[in-house]
Amino acid sequence: MGAQRGIKTLLAVAFALLLTFGARPALASDNPELLPDHATPVIDLARAFSERQKGDLEESLDTFETRSGWKLRVLTQYERTPGLAVKEFWGLDERSLLLVADPRGGNLLNFNVGDAFFALMPRTWWVELQTRYGNQYYVRDHGEDGAILAALDAVEVCLDRGGCQVVPGLPQEQWLWTLSTAILGGLIAGFAAYPRKHGEVISWSWLLLLSPLWVMLFGVFGIAPVVTRTSEILPLLRNGLGFVGAAVLAYLIAGATVGKDRQGAEES
């Protein structure tokens, strides 16, 4: 199930490009009567937050803006939207990010991103952010409020770091995908390493010949996504053990199948 979710999320990336940087449902009309009568970084028309959550989020965003100079704003909506009126209300500029939470588009999260943000986080980063936290599975498990808060937290972390190329954190479905590729790489390496000649312990020629395949599966798809998204050792250790275990298993299976056939041919 986790792997299937990961595949569905990856397939949604192309559509997310259009959703994130194409249509802007929050800015499609102009209804200033829906704006609050006081300054606030959060307009919660869809009632995604409790009163306490909303108050804590407002305080957090104001504090972050004072500390960093980056303006983060949140608009939740369903059937009603202030549209273009939020631009003037918030004074959105190149250092402003407007997060729009609207479930009607299939993905909860949409972003209006100021140009200054792209110097720190590329467009692909925002696509990954949307597909990770705005997809229906994450929203179902964590709620709309949890998805919004998680996305904002990722933005703040990367701004504090001075930029990111990938979204921090390693979701379980993504880790399962990396583990699967590491195991597959181990199986290929194990079969390749089994000796083809008498007296060999490891067939280095075959292992090197197939190295582009198993190195790509283990290194590029099994290790790189882990080390770039988290500093935790446990998922890295699990992937490494998965690779080694799969390689040993494949080596033993090759000995019990191909090896027996070879020995029988030599004896005859």
Side-chain angles (χ1 to χ4, degrees), residues 183-196:
I183 291 174
L184 180 57
L187 291 173
I188 294 173
F191 276 113
Y194 187 77
R196 273 74 173 172

Side-chain angles (χ1 to χ4, degrees), residues 36-95:
D37 57 3
H38 60 281
T40 174
V42 180
I43 300 177
D44 188 20
L45 297 177
R47 299 292 188 268
F49 303 105
S50 66
E51 287 300 321
R52 181 175 180 179
Q53 281 181 312
K54 184 172 180 290
D56 291 343
L57 180 58
E58 288 173 333
E59 182 179 355
S60 174
L61 295 180
D62 286 337
T63 301
F64 183 77
E65 181 179 359
T66 301
R67 174 172 60 85
S68 67
W70 295 99
K71 185 186 297 184
L72 308 184
R73 298 293 182 263
V74 177
L75 168 65
T76 71
Q77 61 183 29
Y78 184 66
E79 295 179 347
R80 302 181 303 161
T81 172
L84 294 171
V86 298
K87 283 189 172 182
E88 183 177 352
F89 178 77
W90 276 322
L92 300 179
D93 55 22
E94 64 177 8
R95 292 179 64 86

Side-chain angles (χ1 to χ4, degrees), residues 93-152:
D93 55 22
E94 64 177 8
R95 292 179 64 86
S96 301
L97 168 68
L98 171 58
L99 184 156
V100 182
D102 189 334
R104 291 176 296 175
N107 190 295
L108 175 68
L109 303 178
N110 294 275
F111 303 97
N112 284 277
V113 185
D115 292 339
F117 284 85
F118 293 122
L120 303 180
M121 290 96 86
R123 292 181 183 271
T124 53
W125 189 92
W126 299 97
V127 173
E128 183 181 353
L129 183 69
Q130 183 192 41
T131 55
R132 178 182 297 186
Y133 296 120
N135 70 79
Q136 59 180 330
Y137 302 108
Y138 191 93
V139 174
R140 183 190 62 192
D141 294 339
H142 300 85
E144 293 186 5
D145 56 337
I148 296 168
L149 295 175
L152 290 172

Side-chain angles (χ1 to χ4, degrees), residues 5 13 39 64 73 79 88 90 112 162 206 215-216 228 249 252:
R5 291 183 181 179
V13 168
F64 183 77
R73 298 293 182 263
E79 295 179 347
E88 183 177 352
W90 276 322
N112 284 277
W206 277 95
V215 167
M216 179 182 66
T228 56
L249 179 63
L252 296 176

